Amino acid sequence: MKIERFTEDAEVLRILHSMREQGIDERTFSDVIDAAGHQYVDLVQEGGGVLGIALTGYVYVLEQMGIRFLQLAGASAGAINTMLMAAAGPINEEKTTWILQQLIEQDLSYFIDGDSDAREFIDALMSDASNLKIALKGAQVVDNFRDDFGLNPGKNFKNWIQNLLAQRNIHTLAELKALRKNVPVGFRKRGGPPLGCEEFERIALVSADITTETKVEFPRMAELYWSDPDHVNPSEFVRASMSIPIFFHPYRIKGIPQGAAQWELWNKLSGYAGNIPTEVLLVDGGIMSNFPIDLFHNKFEIPKAPTFGVKLGYDRRQPNKHDKFFGFIGATFDAARHVHDYDFLMQNPDYRHLLCHIETGSHNWLNFELTETERVDLFIRGAKAAGDFLTKFDWEKYKKLRGETAKVYKHDKALREVEAEALRKAKGK
């Protein structure tokens, strides 16, 4: 499979040609730029299994329009793309062509590394088999759930990510941090002074620690789980974030650092106040926040750069199906993994101006047997969604909106501070 099958597809070329004719590549999308004329934005990518291929189509179009990326965040499939984008090179370089090449060369079924019973059970689920057949195949994987809490070890996936990072000379978190400190020539705010790497050092891969009920953000919270996180291979963070419950074994970390200072750190970073466990289980970050758009949000300021968010599908456009048992389980899982992000968007409606929804059609997020045609279709869908989004996005209008909302939040904060001070004085009398 050649990369040109994607990047030189007639529809993709049409999208890019139309955007250039409209001058989209010359529009202002951010106030953070470099000497080469690149514009920089934060990016948050939603999880969605193999549908993550559509994310590369979205990012590819943005890169072709001269956009580069500052802070990066994601869960599950979004975390995979986040890590590869962070590790592929300095922030001013294009990343998508390299990432896409790795995805199209990889047989995704390689990640289904469970035993034959596990594979047959997954095939039955994906083929919409009868309840009887699913029950029969399910009886053969009882030991997988009892002993391992999942069907696939996930070792093949972890090795794949680790090898890709090694291609970019990333073997430890320290090496990734060093890469993320490379400041592009002329990196600055429009009309302002030069900017430093603090604008883009942060990446966030969300995982769910079900042992302590903690929403984990790697690498920021890595020191909770490792005594020397700088020597941890970043592939560990990705493996933790993509551990789809039941489908993959949960990710285990043993030998958790102990002690009073460590307890205080747990309490500070996660709010956990119990005894520190010696072993934890982490699963797909999507069960707590599948679209962590809130991570880079400061409601009291007008941002120098927008936080673009890309979602795989539309939110709540039709009711979930739960007429069968596994449909019920799926609907329960979807409700749990989306509610936090829905609440944030309801409370911060200005963020809807930053969202791009990729229509993923009838593609199944757990179909690890995607054909070349299906992969190309997902890439095109991502590219089309990006084109539509950039055509409509108005940076100046968005800044004005954020300025108005920031005034309201600051006013409310000032009132609360006055009320708190008055209450404190009243109690002191």
Side-chain angles (χ1 to χ4, degrees):
M1 198 182 307
K2 295 183 178 180
I3 193 170
E4 291 79 13
R5 176 74 175 82
F6 295 75
T7 59
E8 295 185 14
D9 178 88
E11 179 61 15
V12 173
L13 293 177
R14 185 200 65 77
I15 291 169
L16 294 175
H17 177 72
S18 174
M19 294 177 74
R20 291 183 177 116
E21 276 197 329
Q22 298 176 66
I24 304 299
D25 54 339
E26 298 178 357
R27 286 189 187 175
T28 300
F29 294 104
S30 169
D31 285 341
V32 179
I33 58 175
D34 65 18
H38 298 130
Q39 303 185 70
Y40 291 82
V41 304
D42 294 335
L43 180 63
V44 178
Q45 301 173 84
E46 186 177 40
V50 299
L51 301 181
I53 292 175
L55 298 174
T56 62
Y58 169 88
V59 175
Y60 177 74
V61 167
L62 266 60
E63 287 186 336
Q64 293 301 303
M65 293 297 108
I67 294 174
R68 299 293 184 266
F69 305 97
L70 299 168
Q71 301 179 111
L72 298 164
S76 195
I80 296 170
N81 212 34
T82 289
M83 178 57 72
L84 293 180
M85 289 176 67
I91 67 166
N92 58 308
E93 294 182 358
E94 290 186 18
K95 313 293 180 61
T96 316
T97 50
W98 177 73
I99 295 172
L100 182 60
Q101 190 65 56
Q102 313 314 311
L103 290 174
I104 64 179
E105 289 179 353
Q106 180 60 50
D107 177 5
L108 299 181
S109 65
Y110 171 72
F111 301 144
I112 303 177
D113 54 354
D115 58 26
S116 58
D117 288 341
R119 285 178 170 271
E120 290 178 5
F121 178 62
I122 292 170
D123 288 342
L125 288 177
M126 296 303 299
S127 63
D128 197 25
S130 66
N131 287 338
L132 176 60
K133 183 174 182 179
I134 291 175
L136 292 174
K137 295 299 180 182
Q140 297 174 340
V141 294
V142 170
D143 57 327
N144 298 72
F145 297 129
R146 181 192 63 215
D147 301 334
D148 302 312
F149 305 150
L151 297 172
N152 299 289
K155 292 180 179 179
N156 287 357
F157 173 85
K158 181 183 171 184
N159 290 338
W160 177 69
I161 285 288
Q162 187 169 321
N163 289 336
L164 294 187
L165 296 182
Q167 288 182 27
R168 316 310 285 188
N169 296 315
I170 301 296
H171 307 87
T172 65
L173 175 58
E175 291 173 337
L176 180 62
K177 287 180 177 179
L179 173 62
R180 298 290 292 173
K181 291 181 182 292
N182 290 329
V183 179
V185 176
F187 185 67
R188 67 190 188 280
K189 181 179 179 181
R190 295 180 192 274
L195 298 172
C197 60
E198 67 277 359
E199 300 293 335
F200 58 79
E201 281 183 289
R202 185 181 179 190
I203 64 170
L205 283 67
V206 176
S207 184
D209 174 350
I210 61 173
T211 304
T212 65
E213 299 181 10
T214 298
K215 175 184 171 182
V216 183
E217 179 191 325
F218 287 125
R220 183 176 66 86
M221 298 170 69
E223 57 187 324
L224 298 181
Y225 302 93
W226 290 278
S227 58
D228 188 6
D230 276 348
H231 284 85
V232 172
N233 192 297
S235 62
E236 307 284 346
F237 310 147
V238 187
R239 173 63 182 86
S241 183
M242 56 69 67
S243 302
I244 302 170
I246 298 177
F247 197 85
F248 286 109
H249 296 183
Y251 178 70
R252 293 177 183 268
I253 305 179
K254 300 180 179 181
I256 307 298
Q258 304 289 312
Q262 195 69 13
W263 184 90
E264 291 180 2
L265 190 63
W266 270 91
N267 192 255
K268 175 183 177 182
L269 295 182
S270 73
Y272 177 71
N275 295 327
I276 301 175
T278 58
E279 175 180 312
V280 298
L281 296 183
L282 295 100
V283 299
D284 192 322
I287 74 165
M288 291 186 176
S289 179
N290 199 45
F291 183 55
I293 191 70
D294 60 311
L295 290 180
F296 305 143
H297 184 57
N298 183 341
K299 62 185 179 182
F300 300 107
E301 295 181 358
I302 301 174
K304 292 188 288 291
T307 298
F308 286 175
V310 54
K311 294 178 66 65
L312 295 166
Y314 287 90
D315 297 332
R316 292 185 284 184
R317 291 296 179 90
Q318 58 184 9
N320 289 327
K321 294 181 179 180
H322 41 67
D323 53 333
K324 294 183 179 180
F325 176 74
F326 285 102
F328 166 75
I329 294 297
T332 303
F333 178 69
D334 283 343
R337 70 194 182 112
H338 289 146
V339 66
H340 170 81
D341 307 322
Y342 289 161
D343 283 349
F344 174 81
L345 292 174
M346 287 288 290
Q347 295 166 14
N348 299 273
D350 54 283
Y351 258 65
R352 297 192 178 276
H353 295 271
L354 303 171
L355 300 188
C356 174
H357 296 264
I358 301 175
E359 175 53 66
T360 55
S362 60
H363 296 289
N364 189 306
W365 68 294
L366 287 178
N367 180 17
F368 285 78
E369 303 283 352
L370 284 176
T371 64
E372 176 179 345
T373 299
E374 290 171 327
R375 296 189 198 198
V376 172
D377 182 61
L378 282 169
F379 181 83
I380 294 172
R381 287 173 179 270
K384 184 179 185 304
D388 293 342
F389 169 72
L390 289 183
T391 300
K392 298 174 183 176
F393 181 70
D394 187 326
W395 172 232
E396 294 302 326
K397 182 178 179 181
Y398 178 71
K399 282 197 297 182
K400 182 178 179 181
L401 174 62
R402 283 295 297 270
E404 293 170 351
T405 57
K407 286 181 182 179
V408 173
Y409 286 126
K410 288 178 180 178
H411 179 69
D412 289 347
K413 181 181 179 183
L415 285 178
R416 288 195 299 271
E417 290 174 348
V418 169
E419 291 171 354
E421 179 64 16
L423 181 61
R424 184 187 66 78
K425 289 181 178 180
K427 287 183 177 179
K429 291 182 178 180

